[in-house]
Amino acid sequence: MSTLSTTDTPGATAPRGAGPHEALGRYLEHIGRADEFAAIDLVLDLLEQGADAERLLLDLIAPAQRRVGELWAANEWSIAREHGATAVSERAVAAIAARVRPEPTRGRLTVACADGEYHALPTRLLAEVLRLRGWRVDFLGASVPGPHLITHLHQSGPDVVALGCALATRLPRAHATLTACQAVGVPVMAGGAGFGADGRYARLLGADAWAPSADAAADLLERGDLTGPPRQAAAPAHLADEEYTHLTRRRAELLTCALAALARAYPPMAAYDPQQVDATAADLGHLLDFLAASLYVDDAQLFTGFIGWTGSVLAARGVPAEAVTVGLRVFHDELRDFPRARHMLVQAAEAAPVPGPDQET
């Protein structure tokens, strides 16, 4: 247990007979206060009462973190509070891992986040579930550069790489990483929201397997579904038009032009203070990055879904929906030589709550 006793932290211990689902509200309260000791005391108390470690990871910590994301999106929690809660959950995961340490009885796995992916907690949960299932796991953490991951594979010789990607904007780098892993003979299992809710982008980019959750990934590995040689998939044919390449190369130029055009097209920007201008530039950057990712996988639904989510996040912060649609129009006008990108912008505008660019692409 922690050095702070549960008598010093009111409500830290779990009621007798409580399981992960019953303790969820109390755990969320603890991490919302960034109360590390109370959160760790709670999960360790549940372990002592006989709760299964895997279920604590997946039925307590994982859903609490999903709720943290929802509270941030709804503007009920600040970024600071969300980061504090996540940091406490990382400590709670570490506490469970330190308390329950089964001896490895299976092969060796490397678990890592794609290059540029800093949402490491879901991938850490996977690593701990795999350890509990008897695998020897090398967890490499957030944003692992591809070349360094390949060096690790040569040094450690794992049976499989489990690659996590939470944001679709990291898919191009994830693709490069999984291709490099396969080239040195190591199959790759993909996971995380970035690969699509149904794993469509994992399949498109040539992953050897995809799993929707940590326990599903562990089940897949136990069945031996990745015992054969890795796939050697060809690059998606749509990348031949180089729209993705040209868009990413021109990112800085496009953002500068778009910010100036937005200031002309959206009069409320004239009253923005420097902090609001910086936030607007960041929002335009995210929009452009998701457009690039959508071009990479040739899926307009990815971009449309992001625009819908962005609209709800901005609305919760008092930003009118018109600002999103004006941004779409600005990029539509700037990207004259990008037919696929313009088509995606039109589709996103059609789904927006106010009129966007003309329907002519």
Side-chain angles (χ1 to χ4, degrees):
M1 303 287 279
S2 71
T3 56
L4 176 66
S5 73
T6 54
T7 58
D8 295 323
T9 310
T13 56
R16 290 294 160 186
H21 295 291
E22 293 80 9
L24 181 57
R26 184 170 297 184
Y27 179 79
L28 184 62
E29 181 181 340
H30 293 330
I31 65 174
R33 296 197 307 266
D35 192 338
E36 176 182 327
F37 293 125
I40 290 175
D41 282 345
L42 177 60
V43 297
L44 294 185
D45 194 57
L46 287 165
L47 277 175
E48 290 175 1
Q49 292 184 38
D52 179 71
E54 181 175 324
R55 301 294 10 125
L56 286 177
L57 295 170
L58 301 184
D59 296 338
L60 178 65
I61 295 176
Q65 284 302 124
R66 285 193 291 272
R67 182 59 182 151
V68 167
E70 293 167 357
L71 290 167
W72 170 81
N75 203 30
E76 295 181 34
W77 281 21
S78 68
I79 291 177
R81 192 175 184 186
E82 179 264 325
H83 283 191
T86 301
V88 172
S89 282
E90 290 172 344
R91 295 286 290 161
V93 172
I96 294 172
R99 183 61 60 92
V100 184
R101 295 185 286 180
E103 288 295 323
T105 57
R106 302 178 185 274
R108 187 169 187 170
L109 307 173
T110 293
V111 179
C113 295
D115 191 4
E117 181 56 75
Y118 290 94
H119 295 81
L121 185 54
T123 309
R124 174 71 188 274
L125 290 171
L126 168 63
E128 297 308 330
V129 167
L130 294 172
R131 282 196 182 108
L132 290 170
R133 297 284 190 99
W135 296 91
R136 180 180 177 184
V137 177
D138 300 325
F139 175 61
L140 306 186
S143 187
V144 181
H148 294 276
L149 175 57
I150 298 306
T151 298
H152 175 80
L153 300 187
H154 286 304
Q155 294 171 342
S156 61
D159 301 299
V160 174
V161 169
L163 188 66
C165 180
L167 294 179
T169 51
R170 314 306 183 207
L171 283 174
R173 294 188 189 181
H175 185 200
T177 296
L178 72 87
T179 300
C181 292
Q182 292 168 334
V184 297
V186 184
V188 178
M189 177 175 62
F195 285 107
D198 58 358
R200 65 181 62 183
Y201 307 133
R203 291 187 292 272
L204 173 70
L205 301 180
D208 299 282
W210 167 82
S213 62
D215 48 356
D219 292 343
L220 185 152
L221 289 167
E222 288 175 5
R223 292 194 302 268
D225 291 356
L226 287 177
T227 56
R231 296 176 57 187
Q232 295 291 325
H238 60 264
L239 292 177
D241 66 10
E242 296 191 339
E243 280 201 36
Y244 165 79
T245 301
H246 291 305
L247 185 68
T248 53
R249 285 177 179 171
R250 291 183 55 195
R251 184 183 188 277
E253 171 198 344
L254 288 168
L255 284 179
T256 300
C257 295
L259 196 61
L262 186 63
R264 295 190 297 270
Y266 187 61
M269 269 194 69
Y272 279 12
D273 60 31
Q275 184 177 358
Q276 289 174 306
V277 172
D278 288 344
T280 301
D283 290 337
L284 288 173
H286 292 318
L287 190 155
L288 196 58
D289 292 341
F290 267 88
L291 179 60
S294 302
L295 288 171
Y296 196 86
V297 297
D298 197 32
D299 188 354
Q301 290 183 0
L302 173 60
F303 186 61
T304 301
F306 168 73
I307 292 300
W309 177 84
T310 298
S312 65
V313 168
L314 294 178
R317 289 153 176 79
V319 179
E322 180 188 2
V324 177
T325 311
V326 172
L328 294 172
R329 182 182 299 114
V330 164
F331 279 123
H332 180 268
D333 292 343
E334 291 289 335
L335 296 171
R336 294 289 182 187
D337 299 323
F338 295 76
R340 278 202 299 134
R342 285 166 64 88
H343 180 66
M344 289 179 181
L345 287 160
V346 166
Q347 287 188 288
E350 288 175 343
V354 293
D358 297 337
Q359 304 310 304
E360 179 184 353
T361 61

